[in-house]
């Protein structure tokens, strides 16, 4: 899933087509969030963060007491969908497996700092270079 700010592409001075800006990025958690009913939620959507998203956690009492909680509050603000959950907030994030939170932190960094979810990979056996999409399929799938 992707949300686009502009529905039409434009061209730059050299005639290259600029793609519309993506504001939402789909992801799939390595393990998944297990809700109170035992259902596992893996697929979700994260939107680009705003300056407000990064500033508001600083005023949160939980963050002031423990700065490590910033990640929980911030991810709770930018994850717009997770499986069939009706609401995703900090309480959902704080009950995720640590490996899923680490995945989401890296995913957040990639879409907000680098603007994409792709990484360059080199096979350790054959040295073949290729690109993988972190927002793609489950671990171990290609």
């Amino acid at each position: 899933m992707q949300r686009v700010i502009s529905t039409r592409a434009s061209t730059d001075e050299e005639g290259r087509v600029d793609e519309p800006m993506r504001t939402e990025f789909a992801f799939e958690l390595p393990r998944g969030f297990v809700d109170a009913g035992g259902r596992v939620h893996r697929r979700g959507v994260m939107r680009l963060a705003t300056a407000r998203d990064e500033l508001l956690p600083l005023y949160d009492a939980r963050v002031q007491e423990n700065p490590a909680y910033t990640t929980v509050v911030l991810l709770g603000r930018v994850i717009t969908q997770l499986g069939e959950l009706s609401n995703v907030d900090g309480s959902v994030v704080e009950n995720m497996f640590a490996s899923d939170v680490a995945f989401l932190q890296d995913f957040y960094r990639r879409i907000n700092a680098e603007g994409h979810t792709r990484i360059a990979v080199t096979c350790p056996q054959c040295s073949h270079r290729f690109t993988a999409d972190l927002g793609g399929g489950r671990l171990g799938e290609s």
Side-chain angles (χ1 to χ4, degrees):
M1 163 179 262
Q2 79 179 23
R3 181 163 295 162
V4 178
I5 289 179
S6 170
T7 56
R8 59 179 197 186
S10 60
T11 56
D12 64 12
E13 294 112 21
E14 297 175 12
R16 294 179 297 215
V17 176
D18 292 330
E19 295 295 320
M21 182 177 165
R22 289 179 64 181
T23 60
E24 292 187 334
F25 297 80
F27 64 82
E28 188 165 340
L29 296 174
R31 296 200 189 285
F33 172 73
V34 182
D35 67 19
R39 292 176 302 246
V40 179
H41 305 273
R42 287 190 179 94
R43 293 183 182 188
V45 175
M46 183 183 292
R47 67 173 172 77
L48 290 176
T50 64
R52 182 179 181 90
D53 292 323
E54 294 198 349
L55 291 171
L56 283 180
L58 301 176
Y59 300 104
D60 189 298
R62 298 165 296 184
V63 172
Q64 290 176 354
E65 185 177 310
N66 180 0
Y69 207 80
T70 303
T71 298
V72 171
V73 176
L74 183 57
L75 290 175
R77 292 184 58 81
V78 297
I79 297 171
T80 59
Q81 285 181 280
L82 184 59
E84 297 176 14
L85 296 177
S86 59
N87 184 39
V88 180
D89 58 18
S91 65
V92 170
V93 176
E94 70 184 1
N95 287 294
M96 288 181 173
F97 295 111
S99 59
D100 287 336
V101 174
F103 169 86
L104 289 169
Q105 286 176 299
D106 187 56
F107 194 77
Y108 175 92
R109 182 185 58 77
R110 288 186 180 282
I111 68 171
N112 285 286
E114 299 171 16
H116 60 81
T117 59
R118 296 177 308 279
I119 58 171
V121 181
T122 302
C123 176
Q125 292 182 327
C126 70
S127 297
H128 175 72
R129 297 175 60 102
F130 59 97
T131 302
D133 189 339
L134 285 179
R138 304 265 306 124
L139 290 177
E141 294 179 354
S142 55

